[in-house]
């Protein structure tokens, strides 16, 4: 699919809105008694089935390279989810979301170390703004940031989120089709999710209220994993990894907005100011500053 950078940015932006809404449906699923392994197993399996039904012609022509790339992203994706979810058991959601957002700073560092891509000057300022915005949004300064075991696990997960951003930008386009990548992401998310469920969560199966869990799981699988992940994969193939990361970091902002709209949280100055700073950091990466009158050389 051939799209321009503006269309790619729009896809990433809508993907971020979907990812932000996912926290609500995850909360509904966990409230219904589902654990993370089973949630990922269901959403990944449904995503893979939908992908195959719609794009079976491309998927039936899977190459060895597709299988290799699919396994790599499957492992990266699973470890990011697993470590982040495990860390949440031992830390607060605010600290978790703030630490997770640090992937926006880790991705350029990995690109510099392994791909020798030196960040643009404005990248340093945009990343600094993004970290400040997340600190304000999560109120982590007032609550304190003393690293505990859960924080360490979350910090490890940010490495895999950074790697996923880079993978979608640099390696996924080498596959035979974006839909093949999406299918493989869902497939391996399902496989690792089922292994986790049967290995550690099987005893919780009888506690699940399926009438409450069914709708959020379907929305997570179809609306978030299939559509959101699909838009992210296509969008990232046409933009750079750092810019994509600074768009996707808005996920926490949109999660807070949805939480306020649905009555889970109240509107606070931190949400307004933190979100505004994040939007500014993201916009900064999308604008050619040299084209603005203020930055033009006289």
């Amino acid at each position: 699919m051939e799209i321009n950078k503006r269309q790619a940015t729009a896809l990433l932006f809508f993907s971020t809105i979907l990812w932000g809404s996912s926290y609500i449906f995850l909360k509904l699923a966990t409230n219904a008694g589902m654990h993370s392994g089973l949630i990922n197993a269901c959403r990944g399996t449904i995503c893979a089935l939908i992908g195959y039904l719609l794009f079976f012609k491309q998927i039936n022509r899977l190459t060895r390279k597709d299988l290799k790339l699919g396994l790599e992203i499957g492992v990266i994706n699973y470890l990011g989810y697993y470590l982040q979810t495990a860390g949440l058991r031992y830390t607060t959601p605010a600290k978790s979301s703030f630490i997770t957002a640090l992937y926006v700073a880790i991705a350029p560092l990995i690109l510099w170390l392994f791909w020798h891509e030196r960040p643009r000057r404005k990248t340093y300022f945009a990343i600094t703004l993004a970290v400040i915005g997340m600190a304000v949004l999560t109120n982590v300064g007032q609550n304190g940031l003393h690293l505990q075991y859960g924080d360490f696990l979350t910090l490890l997960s940010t490495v895999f989120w950074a790697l996923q951003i880079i993978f979608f930008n640099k390696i996924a386009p080498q596959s035979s089709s974006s839909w093949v990548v999406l299918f493989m992401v869902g497939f391996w998310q399902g496989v690792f999710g089922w292994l986790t469920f049967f290995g550690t969560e099987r005893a919780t199966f009888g506690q699940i209220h399926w009438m409450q869990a069914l709708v959020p799981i379907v929305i997570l699988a179809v609306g978030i994993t299939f559509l959101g992940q699909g838009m992210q994969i296509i969008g990232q193939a046409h933009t750079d990894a750092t810019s994509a990361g600074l768009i996707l970091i808005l996920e926490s902002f949109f999660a807070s907005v949805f939480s306020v709209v649905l009555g889970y949280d109240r509107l606070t100055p931190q949400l307004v100011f933190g979100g505004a700073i994040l939007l500014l950091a993201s916009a900064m990466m999308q604008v050619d500053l040299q084209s603005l009158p203020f930055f033009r050389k006289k």
Side-chain angles (χ1 to χ4, degrees):
M1 175 183 283
E2 288 299 324
I3 60 175
N4 58 41
K5 187 173 181 179
R6 181 175 296 180
Q7 292 169 325
T9 299
L11 284 175
L12 287 172
F13 188 76
F14 285 120
S15 171
T16 303
I17 294 175
L18 289 175
W19 286 119
S21 71
S22 69
Y23 289 92
I24 301 298
F25 301 110
L26 279 170
K27 184 171 180 62
L28 292 172
T30 54
N31 286 347
M34 296 187 77
H35 287 237
S36 60
L38 184 57
I39 290 173
N40 284 316
C42 291
R43 67 191 290 183
T45 301
I46 294 172
C47 173
L49 287 173
I50 294 173
Y52 185 79
L53 288 173
L54 293 177
F55 308 107
F56 62 90
K57 290 183 180 179
Q58 294 96 319
I59 294 168
N60 284 342
R61 294 195 293 269
L62 274 171
T63 64
R64 284 189 176 182
K65 188 170 188 177
D66 290 330
L67 291 171
K68 177 177 178 292
L69 295 179
L71 178 58
E72 289 174 355
I73 187 55
V75 171
I76 291 170
N77 182 275
Y78 173 77
L79 288 174
Y81 275 118
Y82 180 82
L83 289 168
Q84 184 185 45
T85 304
L88 267 171
R89 296 179 61 187
Y90 307 101
T91 190
T92 64
K95 288 173 72 176
S96 176
S97 60
F98 172 72
I99 294 170
T100 298
L102 295 178
Y103 75 80
V104 75
I106 294 174
L109 179 61
I110 294 175
L111 284 169
W112 194 356
L113 289 175
F114 296 100
W115 278 271
H116 308 294
E117 293 185 8
R118 193 180 186 89
R120 290 173 288 175
R121 267 186 211 173
K122 68 177 181 180
T123 299
Y124 299 108
F125 190 53
I127 289 173
T128 301
L129 271 181
V131 173
I132 293 172
M134 282 302 303
V136 173
L137 186 67
T138 59
N139 205 22
V140 74
Q142 180 178 330
N143 297 328
L145 186 58
H146 309 290
L147 289 181
Q148 308 293 337
Y149 176 65
D151 304 322
F152 176 71
L153 292 179
T154 308
L155 189 60
L156 285 179
S157 78
T158 64
V159 176
F160 294 100
W161 294 133
L163 286 172
Q164 177 169 280
I165 292 286
I166 294 169
F167 183 96
F168 283 160
N169 177 255
K170 291 192 164 296
I171 302 175
Q174 299 174 19
S175 66
S176 57
S177 167
S178 296
W179 308 118
V180 167
V181 176
L182 178 60
F183 169 78
M184 295 301 292
V185 168
F187 175 81
W188 286 112
Q189 186 182 50
V191 168
F192 290 127
W194 287 117
L195 289 173
T196 302
F197 169 72
F198 285 111
T200 63
E201 299 176 1
R202 189 164 43 180
T204 67
F205 188 79
Q207 304 167 10
I208 299 171
H209 193 300
W210 286 103
M211 291 300 293
Q212 293 179 11
L214 186 60
V215 171
I217 279 296
V218 171
I219 293 174
L220 282 168
V222 180
I224 314 300
T225 308
F226 182 74
L227 290 178
Q229 194 87 81
M231 286 191 287
Q232 181 182 347
I233 291 169
I234 295 170
Q236 276 203 239
H238 298 84
T239 189
D240 64 274
T242 302
S243 296
L246 283 164
I247 296 172
L248 294 168
I249 200 177
L250 292 170
E251 173 186 329
S252 296
F253 169 65
F254 286 118
S256 299
V257 170
F258 281 114
S259 187
V260 169
V261 170
L262 295 175
Y264 287 100
D265 284 296
R266 60 188 181 87
L267 184 64
T268 63
Q270 287 85 1
L271 172 60
V272 176
F273 292 120
I277 295 172
L278 284 175
L279 287 169
L280 177 62
S282 181
M284 184 178 295
M285 292 301 293
Q286 308 308 316
V287 175
D288 180 7
L289 298 181
Q290 297 300 324
S291 67
L292 300 178
F294 182 77
F295 290 96
R296 286 177 185 164
K297 294 182 180 179
K298 297 181 179 179

